[in-house]
């Protein structure tokens, strides 16, 4: 195995996740893909951080006047949906 310094985080999966991050945030992934995306983020801190930042930027661009709580909100949403199955 190459590049396994992050257990549970395959580089291939990270590439896939980052490729589809915008689609996920915009709700454009299929249910199956979105589920796989959430599953990866629950296991991958670096992609979760990336998603947090992207979500924060997206929200800031869309609604400049609202405070950004993307980090906690996104994390809870992902974990909640993951637990619900
Ligand atoms: Zn990842």
């Amino acid at each position: 195995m190459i590049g396994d310094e992050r257990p549970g985080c395959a580089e291939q999966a990270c590439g896939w996740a980052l490729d589809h991050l915008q689609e996920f945030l915009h709700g454009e992934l299929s249910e199956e893909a979105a589920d796989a995306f959430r599953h990866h983020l629950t296991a991958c801190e670096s992609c979760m951080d990336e998603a947090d930042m992207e979500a924060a930027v997206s929200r800031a661009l869309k609604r400049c006047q609202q405070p950004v709580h993307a980090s906690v909100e996104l994390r809870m949403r992902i974990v909640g949906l993951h637990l619900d199955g």
Side-chain angles (χ1 to χ4, degrees), residues 9-10 13-14 17 40 44 46-47:
C9 183
C14 285
H40 180 74
C44 182
S46 73
C47 285

Side-chain angles (χ1 to χ4, degrees), residues 11-80:
E11 285 187 14
Q12 197 174 3
C14 285
W16 179 86
L18 294 177
D19 274 354
H20 293 80
L21 178 54
Q22 289 297 330
E23 290 163 76
F24 174 75
L25 292 175
H26 292 237
E28 292 167 358
L29 289 180
S30 67
E31 278 193 33
E32 190 178 28
D35 197 55
F37 193 97
R38 283 190 291 270
H39 187 76
H40 180 74
L41 260 62
T42 58
C44 182
E45 186 108 6
S46 73
C47 285
M48 176 67 86
D49 286 346
E50 195 70 28
D52 279 349
M53 282 191 290
E54 289 292 337
V57 170
S58 286
R59 282 160 184 271
L61 290 175
K62 276 184 192 169
R63 326 179 196 173
C64 327
Q65 297 186 344
Q66 296 205 2
V68 175
H69 300 297
S71 183
V72 173
E73 193 176 305
L74 180 64
R75 203 173 289 258
M76 287 179 66
R77 191 195 314 158
I78 289 166
V79 171

